[in-house]
Amino acid sequence: MLTLRRRNWAYSIPVAIASAGIVLRIQQWYHSRTLWLDEEMVFLNIRDRMFSEFAGPLWLDQSAPIGWLALQRTVLQLFGTTDRAARALSVLFGVATLICAAWVGIRWMKPIGAALFVLLCTLGQWMTFYALEAKPYAGDAFWALLLPALVVWATEAVKDQPSVTLRRSFVWWLTATAGQWVSYGAILVAPGCAALLCAVAWRRSGRHRALGVGLQGLLWLASFSAHYYLVLRHALASDVLVDYWASGMPPDGATAGGVLAWLTQQAEPLASHPGGTTLWLSFWAAAACGVAFSFRNRPTLALSWLIVIVTAWAYAVVGLVPLKDRLAFWILPALYASIALAADASLDLVRVGLTRRSLPAFALAALTAIVIWPLSADMVERGRGHLILRPVDNHGFNDRVAMRYLMIQRQPGDVLIATHFGLPAVWWYGRIDISDANAAGGRYAGDGAPIFELTHAWPDSQTCQRIQGQTQPQRALAGTRRAAIFLGFDSNIPAGLQELTLNTFSEFSRLVSFRLIANEGAVAIFDLESPPEPDALATRATWRRDVSPALDGCVSLRPARRW
């Protein structure tokens, strides 16, 4: 896969780890888990919009790079709308990340650091999870690893040309330009990496060379302007997305002290997600040690990882990019690389201590080892423990199985009912086109039967008032023979909503089919023309959990609409 540096066969270890990781990614992809809510929502845009319609606001409060959307639609057109097809691009980026990690490790790290770096990229808890997520996150990790590495490559001494060459810097700009169309991570790392590239050119060859490197960036700037106009400005104008991102930024109006306190508070949650460890002090200390120790001998390499981490914090401070769990996933390769450099440094200190018989070097090596190796073991063990080889659900739900069961049980004319955030599963796995502005997801494509959104109302609501002894669902379903109810995501909010829904329908109709799906979901079919049968299936299915006290209020139905 890679040419081993200096014929040092110790580098076969990271190659072997990367190869095993690739096999693991493919095996996980083959047994793809069911799509999750966010994945369904973005893939409804991909499936039901034309290529030309990817520019502009996406449905269902989604946002993604336009090139990534186009690639995903191409995959769906070629291979169908299976879960494997939906995850194919992500797993390819996951494989590319492992290859790139092996290249980086072999080229710029010692064997132990290279092996550790590739191992963390292979088994890190969230590296394995997002490599199979049908979202742009796997691509973010790849580009956020490749672009800083290419800065180091572009600034390496070339025979008879020890300075930054314009040819190599142009390759970097061209790669960064291509990457931004398929990855937000590529956009986010580019400014810091470009600044480093120009700074090294200035330091080694003067301002004229730095100016030449900077002018090459006009291509990237023109491409970014087009991408911003087509996609990014719409995401930034979305109130839903802005509200969601706000939790990953300092509070509005925070003082300098408040911002500093907020930044300090992010260290522990970021170490857990996306870092993949509970040893948060060791996590950040190891990353800092890796940058500090490698700065003396490889300053550009150290700065290439440091600048990714620093810019992420800076983006959050100025309110541009949230610093929170999956939204900060793009910084993880830089953190893992820094930790691997710290592992190399700990062995260098041991070597110095042995050669010079230096007690301080031994002491520093011991201190570094105490931080690095328990941390590395914890991240690998946590990643291995969370590794899912044959998934049966996704966050406690299995929309694929649930909708397959529902569609088998459903008869022509049966209405479909789901909660607000259960509708994307109905539309995706039920193969219901939501592109029609008139129907907008409110009708089943096969027979035109209506689709309803299930909501909860509190007791004092007018919705809960019975009219002529009938509940609002009875009135909404008048003239309908059967109802197929999907209780997926959002059907346990508030707690007891599933039970309230099933009990409400069992008051005026007969339950003819019921199945619990995974840990959280359920499917129920009610015959609305038959009287309730209180002692049979309904009683045995009451219902899943002991919800005490029972949820007050009532459930109501309204026509489903794409948002």
Side-chain angles (χ1 to χ4, degrees):
M1 183 172 64
L2 295 166
T3 301
L4 299 187
R5 188 177 65 179
R6 298 189 302 274
R7 304 296 291 180
N8 187 338
W9 293 107
Y11 285 101
S12 62
I13 298 175
V15 172
I17 295 173
S19 300
I22 290 171
V23 173
L24 176 64
R25 296 286 189 269
I26 294 173
Q27 194 271 346
Q28 289 181 293
W29 167 77
Y30 183 79
H31 298 285
S32 288
R33 59 183 179 259
T34 178
L35 293 189
W36 173 242
L37 171 66
D38 285 352
E39 298 171 300
E40 293 161 353
M41 290 196 293
V42 75
F43 267 85
L44 284 166
N45 284 275
I46 294 168
R47 187 193 68 187
D48 295 344
R49 295 169 80 111
M50 304 298 292
F51 285 102
S52 60
E53 297 174 321
F54 290 145
L58 298 183
W59 305 319
L60 312 178
D61 303 318
Q62 294 298 298
S63 177
I66 191 170
W68 182 86
L69 294 169
L71 286 175
Q72 289 285 20
R73 179 165 174 81
T74 301
V75 171
L76 294 190
Q77 288 182 328
L78 291 175
F79 303 106
T81 58
T82 66
D83 290 347
R84 286 178 190 159
R87 301 192 187 283
L89 186 60
S90 293
V91 82
L92 287 176
F93 274 125
V95 168
T97 299
L98 295 180
I99 295 174
C100 187
W103 173 65
V104 169
I106 292 171
R107 192 176 184 93
W108 292 297
M109 297 178 186
K110 294 179 174 60
I112 189 67
L116 177 60
F117 181 44
V118 177
L119 184 62
L120 291 177
C121 289
T122 299
L123 285 181
Q125 177 183 351
W126 297 106
M127 289 293 281
T128 59
F129 184 84
Y130 288 125
L132 272 295
E133 189 86 344
K135 296 277 281 185
Y137 305 130
D140 291 341
F142 169 72
W143 289 102
L145 171 60
L146 179 64
L147 292 182
L150 286 181
V151 169
V152 184
W153 170 81
T155 57
E156 283 181 327
V158 181
K159 186 177 181 180
D160 300 327
Q161 291 183 303
S163 60
V164 179
T165 66
L166 292 178
R167 179 181 63 83
R168 286 198 174 194
S169 63
F170 182 72
V171 170
W172 185 89
W173 280 113
L174 199 62
T175 306
T177 300
Q180 70 161 276
W181 289 96
V182 294
S183 166
Y184 288 152
I187 297 175
L188 297 175
V189 301
C193 289
L196 178 60
L197 188 63
C198 292
V200 174
W202 189 322
R203 181 176 179 275
R204 294 181 182 175
S205 305
R207 62 182 181 182
H208 293 294
R209 178 58 59 85
L211 180 61
V213 171
L215 288 175
Q216 291 176 335
L218 292 176
L219 173 65
W220 183 93
L221 186 61
S223 182
F224 172 78
S225 299
H227 198 187
Y228 178 85
Y229 178 79
L230 293 172
V231 174
L232 296 177
R233 66 188 179 101
H234 301 293
L236 296 174
S238 169
D239 292 336
V240 174
L241 291 176
V242 170
D243 288 344
Y244 177 68
W245 293 337
S247 61
M249 300 177 187
D252 291 338
T255 63
V259 171
L260 182 60
W262 180 86
L263 289 172
T264 303
Q265 293 167 1
Q266 305 316 301
E268 184 173 357
L270 284 174
S272 176
H273 190 182
T277 180
T278 56
L279 305 176
W280 65 277
L281 284 174
S282 297
F283 181 80
W284 292 105
C289 287
V291 171
F293 287 149
S294 61
F295 186 81
R296 180 178 178 181
N297 298 322
R298 306 186 193 92
T300 305
L301 180 64
L303 288 174
S304 68
W305 307 126
L306 177 63
I307 205 162
V308 172
I309 302 167
V310 170
T311 53
W313 294 82
Y315 286 145
V317 168
V318 299
L320 284 178
V321 182
L323 192 65
K324 176 184 178 183
D325 49 65
R326 60 182 178 174
L327 302 177
F329 179 66
W330 58 279
I331 70 173
L332 189 57
L335 289 165
Y336 280 173
S338 300
I339 292 170
L341 290 175
D344 276 345
S346 68
L347 295 185
D348 285 342
L349 289 170
V350 171
R351 189 177 299 110
V352 170
L354 290 172
T355 303
R356 302 179 182 178
R357 297 181 181 180
S358 171
L359 185 59
F362 272 124
L364 189 55
L367 181 61
T368 305
I370 290 173
V371 172
I372 297 296
W373 299 114
L375 169 67
S376 301
D378 178 70
M379 289 191 290
V380 171
E381 178 58 28
R382 283 174 60 86
R384 188 193 64 80
H386 286 84
L387 198 60
I388 304 173
L389 298 179
R390 293 179 179 270
V392 295
D393 62 20
N394 194 345
H395 295 80
F397 295 94
N398 194 325
D399 293 346
R400 178 174 60 205
V401 170
M403 289 305 302
R404 183 184 301 148
Y405 176 79
L406 185 146
M407 289 304 177
I408 291 174
Q409 297 297 319
R410 183 183 181 276
Q411 297 179 4
D414 288 2
V415 300
L416 294 174
I417 300 173
T419 56
H420 181 70
F421 286 120
L423 288 171
V426 174
W427 294 330
W428 174 257
Y429 285 110
R431 293 178 171 80
I432 298 170
D433 192 328
I434 63 172
S435 60
D436 187 345
N438 295 320
R443 293 280 175 180
Y444 179 62
D447 50 31
I451 303 174
F452 287 96
E453 178 182 332
L454 177 75
T455 63
H456 172 257
W458 294 105
D460 56 354
S461 170
Q462 186 176 358
T463 304
C464 292
Q465 295 181 6
R466 293 175 180 258
I467 298 178
Q468 296 180 348
Q470 290 188 326
T471 63
Q472 193 275 341
Q474 283 180 274
R475 301 192 299 273
L477 298 174
T480 302
R481 190 172 67 86
R482 298 198 339 158
I485 305 176
F486 170 57
L487 297 172
F489 186 80
D490 205 33
S491 62
N492 287 319
I493 304 174
L497 180 57
Q498 284 190 4
E499 290 71 25
L500 179 62
T501 300
L502 296 169
N503 288 331
T504 297
F505 275 81
S506 67
E507 290 179 5
F508 63 87
S509 58
R510 178 173 297 184
L511 182 66
V512 295
S513 181
F514 178 80
R515 181 177 174 182
L516 301 175
I517 309 293
N519 293 326
E520 300 292 335
V523 170
I525 310 292
F526 283 91
D527 185 341
L528 305 178
E529 295 180 340
S530 299
E533 187 179 3
D535 297 328
L537 188 57
T539 300
R540 293 198 300 271
T542 305
W543 281 113
R544 176 202 301 267
R545 300 173 300 272
D546 179 18
V547 180
S548 182
L551 178 63
D552 289 334
C554 65
V555 295
S556 62
L557 303 178
R558 63 187 180 194
R561 295 288 297 180
R562 182 197 73 212
W563 61 94

